[in-house]
Amino acid sequence: MVKITILSPEGKSCSVWSLKNEIEKLGAKCDIFLLSHPETLMSYDFKLETDLIHSRCGIGDYFDRLTLYSWQFINALEVEGCKFINPIKTLYLTSDKFKCIKLLAKNKIKTPKTALIRDYEDAVKFIEKYNLKFPVVIKNSFSKCGLKVFMAKNYDELRELTKNAIWEGKIIQEFIDFKENGLYKDMRILVVDGEVVGGYRRVSKDFRTNLYLGNSVEKLNIDEELEELALKCADLSEAVILGVDILPTKDSYYVIELNSSPGTKGFRNIGINADKKIAEALVRYAKR
């Protein structure tokens, strides 16, 4: 019997436990390893006996701080020869929003104009270079769940939001207006092992559409263009499991982020068993 370990900061996500249930239905053993458990100690001789690790952790802002502990923990397990799905380089890429945008743009995928900034002066240079108008978006490159994403509507707000930018890894982005009939509706498409599983639209009164912030979902009809776009993103990021976040406009689609540990609650809400698809892929890779 193969054993799969899910790494989770605290195990509070329903997606973690739903995935464990689907893995066990397939006859595999599944453990949830909590990084926050008081008995966890990553010592120099620590080992984790498992056939495959699926990490729900990366580098991100939690409780207003950037944690490197989970990232160091993952890399230490790699030293021990542990196998990961998604690969560690994919975990890093999707954690670092600026690197991700650079990769997508280099490969002719439309993204918002974006810059990594050190301070207010860098932000002003960016606006002037690309002849942008307010609002613009300021976010931490390693932000999670929309918690470190802000809109600057004028230069005073821009100055305030870019404080400590060089220390916090902040980026500035062109604002893409994707509002429809008074509501913001972006797209989340899930790719698992080279197959588009499904997608939904996240609906919000605010430009931050994350479900973590209490927003709702509606089913997305995925056309050929969207399918090709999602599969190309998965190929470029070398992801087995990938959530692709897209901003639709009248003329085009903009890829805004990639997520290597996408939540599955939204898919359950529209009747898609994404956990089963992910579980099947993990078991296949664990057996290799």
Side-chain angles (χ1 to χ4, degrees):
M1 179 185 295
V2 296
K3 178 180 177 182
I4 297 169
T5 300
I6 301 174
L7 288 186
S8 175
E10 297 174 291
K12 292 182 178 180
S13 169
C14 59
S15 297
V16 170
W17 295 95
S18 295
L19 180 56
K20 172 181 168 65
N21 183 51
E22 291 295 338
I23 290 171
E24 291 176 341
K25 283 183 182 178
L26 296 171
K29 181 175 174 57
C30 182
D31 286 346
I32 297 175
F33 189 98
L34 303 181
L35 297 189
S36 60
H37 195 285
E39 295 182 7
T40 297
L41 177 63
M42 174 50 80
S43 56
Y44 75 102
D45 55 354
F46 178 89
K47 289 183 174 61
L48 190 60
E49 298 299 329
T50 188
D51 295 298
L52 182 74
I53 294 174
H54 175 55
S55 178
R56 305 286 303 182
C57 315
I59 306 174
D61 285 301
Y62 300 98
F63 306 109
D64 295 325
R65 297 214 175 175
L66 182 66
T67 174
L68 290 177
Y69 176 81
S70 59
W71 182 240
Q72 289 179 282
F73 198 100
I74 291 167
N75 277 273
L77 291 175
E78 185 185 38
V79 171
E80 291 293 336
C82 292
K83 183 166 68 173
F84 286 81
I85 294 295
N86 283 307
I88 286 183
K89 60 183 175 181
T90 302
L91 296 178
Y92 180 84
L93 173 71
T94 56
S95 292
D96 185 342
K97 291 178 172 55
F98 185 67
K99 182 178 181 181
C100 193
I101 288 288
K102 285 280 287 181
L103 177 67
L104 295 173
K106 181 179 179 180
N107 288 277
K108 312 301 182 186
I109 291 177
K110 190 167 284 190
T111 65
K113 296 180 179 67
T114 307
L116 180 66
I117 57 173
R118 297 164 291 184
D119 48 29
Y120 170 74
E121 286 73 22
D122 272 0
V124 173
K125 287 176 192 173
F126 171 77
I127 290 172
E128 292 176 348
K129 178 177 180 179
Y130 295 100
N131 195 28
L132 299 181
K133 296 180 180 179
F134 287 102
V136 293
V137 176
I138 303 293
K139 63 174 74 170
N140 283 23
S141 196
F142 294 97
S143 59
K144 298 286 185 183
C145 304
L147 297 177
K148 290 284 187 175
V149 180
F150 305 97
M151 182 184 287
K153 298 177 182 177
N154 52 56
Y155 283 105
D156 288 338
E157 291 182 359
L158 185 67
R159 185 182 295 277
E160 184 65 26
L161 289 171
T162 52
K163 287 181 178 178
N164 300 317
I166 194 170
W167 310 114
E168 297 179 6
K170 289 187 178 181
I171 60 177
I172 183 171
Q173 282 188 327
E174 166 192 20
F175 174 68
I176 305 298
D177 190 356
F178 58 104
K179 187 181 286 186
E180 295 182 16
N181 301 318
L183 292 172
Y184 290 100
K185 295 185 177 184
D186 70 354
M187 301 172 173
R188 161 66 64 87
I189 297 176
L190 178 65
V191 179
V192 178
D193 206 12
E195 175 190 353
V196 172
V197 172
Y200 56 78
R201 303 197 74 177
R202 299 182 293 192
V203 183
S204 173
K205 294 180 179 178
D206 185 85
F207 79 103
R208 296 171 299 178
T209 59
N210 304 72
L211 298 189
Y212 183 85
L213 300 176
N215 296 310
S216 60
V217 301
E218 60 185 33
K219 193 168 185 178
L220 170 67
N221 294 318
I222 301 173
D223 60 21
E224 185 177 344
E225 182 181 0
L226 281 173
E227 182 173 6
E228 288 180 358
L229 181 58
L231 290 173
K232 185 175 180 179
C233 288
D235 183 56
L236 287 171
S237 61
E238 299 183 41
V240 176
I241 301 156
L242 189 71
V244 183
D245 293 345
I246 300 169
L247 303 183
T249 67
K250 291 180 180 179
D251 304 316
S252 194
Y253 295 123
Y254 290 79
V255 177
I256 189 75
E257 288 182 14
L258 303 181
N259 191 326
S260 60
S261 55
T264 53
K265 179 181 178 182
F267 291 98
R268 287 194 295 276
N269 289 348
I270 60 170
I272 295 176
N273 191 346
D275 296 299
K276 181 180 179 181
K277 286 289 188 179
I278 294 172
E280 288 171 346
L282 293 177
V283 171
R284 281 197 301 272
Y285 279 88
K287 289 179 177 179
R288 290 181 180 178

